[in-house]
Amino acid sequence: MLQEFTKVGVVGLGTMGAGIAEVFARAGFDVTGVEIDQAALERGRGHVDTSLSRAVAKERITGDERAAIDARLTFTTSREDLSDADFVVEAVPERMDLKRDVFGDLDRICPPGTILATNTSSLSVTEIAALTSRPDKVLGLHFFNPAPVMKLVEVVTTVSTGAETTAVVTEVAKRIGKTPVTVGDRAGFVANALLVPYINDAVRLYERGVATREEVDASVRKAADLPMGPLTLADMVGLDVCLAVMDVLWEEFRDPRYAAAPLLRRMVAAGRLGRKAGRGFYEGGDDPAEPARTGRFAEMVREEELLDLGEMLIAPQIDDALRMIGDGYATAADVDTAMRFGCGYPKGPTELLEERGAESVVTTLVAMGEYGLTTIAAPAPLLMDRLPDVEHDHR
């Protein structure tokens, strides 16, 4: 019989943490939200209040339901108030020193049976678990923003995570209305490892003058029916967040595929972080100067019949997905689920592959390689295996 629990703690009540607290309270759990001081606590309470008020205004919940949710929420500045919690989710900023402080306290305060989860999107869950005396009861539970809306959660296990811990958290994820994808502890997990290099590819094409911002974004909306283009998405996510994910991927894999675009790094250094800073690729009145489009290279790329701008962004992401599947890290279903429910894709990468056919994707990747437009040295073996009537030597 799986462990059952009713009281949940959430440490860190920024936009994401407040959303997580709301999600659990809506699902019937008693939730204690913890912040570092009273000012931060009031901001967190305000996030929840604003979100619930919006839900009532849009008739997603009734006034009575709102009152019941409020009654299940408690806010405090003392981590000691989590001494009877059955499950705690940490959602503090992405700094290992902060995680170390939080998990050290939680390990001391919470009963031995309490499951501890981190919402990290970029740090090592294994390293975080090793900070405690209960690594078998520690895992990642990665929500997507806004947490009350986005359906995906990535359940991230380490080499030490107990099978029962994984089973319990997976069931809890379903109970709170989420679609869980369970994967191992690897940089970027599934969604970020596929989404952020795609954003980075868009920055590279823009930086090299192949297309304007508007052309880059419009091409992908047309090619894959995405709700927004990659540069608009970068502004929304935060360019600093994108850069941090690229650097984490680079640190783990040391593959040129994960080298951040120079322009991305310069934009972050200049404080052009996107929507939250009021300045990014689109945000703010002082738009960055468009890279020159007068060079012969950009002209040659635009004239190449084998290269479509939208496909130059979709094909590498399909290749990344096929490598992930081929490595055994995730199934095709997991990859498509992660991108649909975590990133708003109408169709996942393998579904996009089925639409195009392997030959079309390989043709795009090879042509991009000839122009130095991708760091992918050769198409993924699993992608090559899908080519019709061709024998492949993968020695």
Side-chain angles (χ1 to χ4, degrees):
M1 182 177 177
L2 293 179
Q3 176 181 348
E4 295 184 3
F5 52 81
T6 58
K7 183 174 179 179
V8 174
V10 179
V11 181
L13 296 174
T15 303
M16 178 63 82
I20 294 170
E22 178 186 338
V23 166
F24 276 97
R26 281 198 191 198
F29 292 94
D30 292 325
V31 180
T32 299
V34 185
E35 258 297 356
I36 192 68
D37 56 36
Q38 195 62 37
L41 190 70
E42 291 307 316
R43 286 194 297 272
R45 192 196 305 267
H47 290 318
V48 176
D49 182 67
T50 298
S51 178
L52 290 174
S53 295
R54 187 183 304 119
V56 172
K58 293 185 177 181
E59 298 183 346
R60 292 173 180 162
I61 59 174
T62 66
D64 288 344
E65 288 172 331
R66 160 72 189 272
I69 293 168
D70 283 334
R72 289 192 287 270
L73 285 162
T74 302
F75 298 93
T76 180
T77 57
S78 175
R79 293 174 188 168
E80 300 290 339
D81 290 340
L82 299 177
S83 61
D84 60 345
D86 303 302
F87 181 53
V88 181
V89 181
E90 166 274 312
V92 302
E94 292 286 77
R95 285 171 40 193
M96 187 56 80
D97 60 326
L98 297 180
K99 311 283 188 186
R100 183 177 296 108
D101 177 63
V102 170
F103 276 85
D105 276 356
L106 294 178
D107 193 38
R108 172 180 59 80
I109 294 166
C110 298
T114 301
I115 295 174
L116 307 179
T118 174
N119 182 56
T120 186
S121 61
S122 60
L123 299 178
S124 167
V125 179
T126 302
E127 186 175 345
I128 292 170
L131 299 172
T132 75
S133 62
R134 64 183 85 191
D136 60 314
K137 289 192 172 293
V138 179
L139 42 57
L141 190 62
H142 181 214
F143 289 78
F144 290 76
N145 203 23
V149 176
M150 301 303 288
K151 292 296 185 183
L152 179 71
V153 291
E154 291 174 314
V155 179
V156 184
T157 64
T158 76
V159 292
S160 302
T161 305
E164 182 176 344
T165 299
T166 304
V168 168
V169 174
T170 300
E171 284 304 310
V172 168
K174 294 175 182 177
R175 180 174 165 184
I176 62 176
K178 301 303 181 184
T179 300
V181 168
T182 303
V183 293
D185 184 21
R186 190 168 102 167
F189 313 139
V190 175
N192 279 343
L194 295 177
L195 182 69
V196 179
Y198 148 81
I199 291 174
N200 193 60
D201 287 342
V203 176
R204 285 187 183 278
L205 291 177
Y206 171 64
E207 180 177 18
R208 300 190 71 177
V210 173
T212 66
R213 291 166 295 181
E214 291 80 6
E215 288 169 341
V216 167
D217 281 353
S219 71
V220 183
R221 292 198 304 269
K222 178 182 177 182
D225 197 29
L226 297 182
M228 68 178 69
L231 298 182
T232 300
L233 181 60
D235 274 354
M236 187 180 80
V237 170
L239 274 64
D240 55 333
V241 175
C242 295
L243 178 59
V245 173
M246 290 303 300
D247 285 346
V248 166
L249 289 167
W250 168 258
E251 284 298 320
E252 177 147 334
F253 297 110
R254 297 289 173 166
D255 187 318
R257 175 75 181 125
Y258 302 121
L263 178 60
L264 178 61
R265 199 172 294 280
R266 288 196 294 270
M267 294 276 280
V268 172
R272 305 191 71 101
L273 308 182
R275 183 177 298 176
K276 61 187 173 186
R279 299 188 308 158
F281 285 106
Y282 292 97
E283 301 290 331
D286 57 335
D287 291 338
E290 292 278 357
R293 288 166 51 85
T294 56
R296 178 57 184 150
F297 171 76
E299 186 178 304
M300 291 169 63
V301 172
R302 291 194 295 271
E303 291 174 352
E304 174 57 66
E305 293 181 359
L306 294 177
L307 289 176
D308 172 84
L309 182 57
E311 296 304 317
M312 283 193 282
L313 291 165
I314 296 301
Q317 188 178 64
I318 291 173
D319 187 84
D320 288 343
L322 269 288
R323 289 180 194 279
M324 187 178 285
I325 296 165
D327 288 347
Y329 178 68
T331 66
D334 286 341
V335 165
D336 287 345
T337 297
M339 299 309 287
R340 285 200 310 268
F341 292 109
C343 304
Y345 276 45
K347 297 176 182 176
T350 70
E351 294 166 319
L352 292 171
L353 172 61
E354 292 303 319
E355 279 188 348
R356 286 155 174 75
E359 189 170 0
S360 173
V361 175
V362 169
T363 297
T364 296
L365 291 171
V366 170
M368 289 178 70
E370 291 175 352
Y371 284 90
L373 290 168
T374 180
T375 52
I376 296 173
L382 198 60
L383 180 58
M384 296 297 291
D385 280 341
R386 296 193 177 207
L387 290 177
D389 303 321
V390 177
E391 293 184 1
H392 308 286
D393 186 354
H394 297 314
R395 290 176 297 179

